[in-house]
Amino acid sequence: MYSDFNIKEFTQQLQNSCAKAQTKKIDKGEIITTYIKNRNQICILKSGLADLVRYDINGNKTIVETLKESDVFGEIFFPVITNNELFVVAKSKCEIVYFIYDEITKKCTRSCKFHDVLNTNLLKLILNKTISQNIRIELLTKRSIREKLQSYFATLTKSGLSRTFYIPLSYTDLADYLSVDRSAMMRELKSLQEEGFITKDGNKITLKY
């Protein structure tokens, strides 16, 4: 991510200083936002875990994105061009800081200096989000379940700087995230283990290649 940008510090300053920033707390299982109803909203997940979820016309679920502390989300980053509404669902208790994109250029009622800082750092927020979405696109372009798993594992290895890591999703959610059948994915994980590419202990994975 953008190396010179401390999003946790930015979020705290935004929450404390700018009248246009709002905060809300969400319980596990609740819908944080929907992208059709809340257009132009930019949200920052200050704490907790959440999923961006889509259901198709047949009721099939896809996890479009997994969200963790300091992740940015909102319809402005993911314009809806289909009839499938997108939901952000809390996987744990969450605290959200959010503001409306269209209001960024308007003068803050508190005349806070931080509102100018928000304008300056908006590009960095967008750059961080673009990097995250590009990683997701790269993963989904892989043709086979094995290639998708290996690409996902490589991402976790790079982010944690270790060949041993914990998958931050249940295997059901991982299958939804990779857009693959869960049973087929579990068979592929078993094959990777039997062939010596990985060792697996629950959600703990160690890459051997």
Side-chain angles (χ1 to χ4, degrees):
M1 296 299 175
Y2 201 97
S3 60
D4 295 329
F5 184 45
N6 188 324
I7 191 169
K8 291 183 70 174
E9 181 179 322
F10 170 82
T11 304
Q12 189 62 53
Q13 290 177 336
L14 174 64
Q15 186 178 15
N16 292 340
S17 304
C18 186
K20 294 186 182 298
Q22 304 294 316
T23 302
K24 59 182 176 181
K25 294 183 178 180
I26 304 293
D27 288 330
K28 179 180 179 179
E30 289 186 359
I31 294 175
I32 295 173
T33 187
T34 61
Y35 281 12
I36 287 180
K37 293 181 180 179
N38 296 302
R39 296 185 180 278
N40 291 324
Q41 183 172 268
I42 297 177
C43 306
I44 303 174
L45 187 58
K46 185 177 180 184
S47 64
L49 299 170
D51 285 333
L52 173 59
V53 177
R54 170 187 281 137
Y55 292 93
D56 65 20
I57 58 174
N58 297 315
N60 297 314
K61 174 185 174 183
T62 298
I63 296 178
V64 179
E65 187 176 7
T66 59
L67 301 165
K68 60 186 182 303
E69 181 182 320
S70 296
D71 278 347
V72 181
F73 60 96
E75 194 262 0
I76 191 170
F77 297 110
F78 207 106
V80 178
I81 56 175
T82 72
N83 292 324
N84 303 126
E85 190 169 1
L86 294 167
F87 303 86
V88 179
V89 182
K91 296 188 68 177
S92 66
K93 286 188 176 182
C94 295
E95 185 174 1
I96 314 297
V97 178
Y98 64 99
F99 52 93
I100 305 302
Y101 176 78
D102 291 343
E103 295 183 351
I104 290 175
T105 56
K106 298 177 183 178
K107 187 176 180 179
C108 182
T109 56
R110 294 179 187 170
S111 298
C112 66
K113 293 181 180 179
F114 186 74
H115 201 63
D116 294 331
V117 177
L118 174 59
N119 284 317
T120 302
N121 284 282
L122 180 62
L123 177 59
K124 296 175 184 178
L125 283 175
I126 294 173
L127 284 172
N128 281 349
K129 191 64 180 179
T130 300
I131 292 170
S132 175
Q133 289 180 336
N134 285 342
I135 291 172
R136 168 76 167 151
I137 291 169
E138 175 68 19
L139 188 154
L140 292 179
T141 59
K142 304 302 181 183
R143 294 182 179 274
S144 69
I145 295 176
R146 174 170 291 209
E147 288 176 327
K148 287 183 176 182
L149 284 168
Q150 289 175 328
S151 179
Y152 180 67
F153 292 163
T155 299
L156 293 180
T157 297
K158 290 177 182 177
S159 63
L161 301 177
S162 173
R163 287 183 174 271
T164 297
F165 52 83
Y166 287 87
I167 298 174
L169 305 169
S170 69
Y171 282 112
T172 298
D173 284 349
L174 178 58
D176 289 337
Y177 181 70
L178 298 178
S179 296
V180 299
D181 177 77
R182 185 186 187 280
S183 296
M185 183 191 74
M186 296 307 294
R187 287 195 296 271
E188 193 60 62
L189 282 169
K190 183 178 180 181
S191 295
L192 285 169
Q193 188 170 20
E194 290 175 345
E195 294 170 23
F197 288 102
I198 65 170
T199 59
K200 175 177 169 292
D201 182 11
N203 278 34
K204 182 180 178 181
I205 302 290
T206 298
L207 300 187
K208 311 299 288 186
Y209 58 89

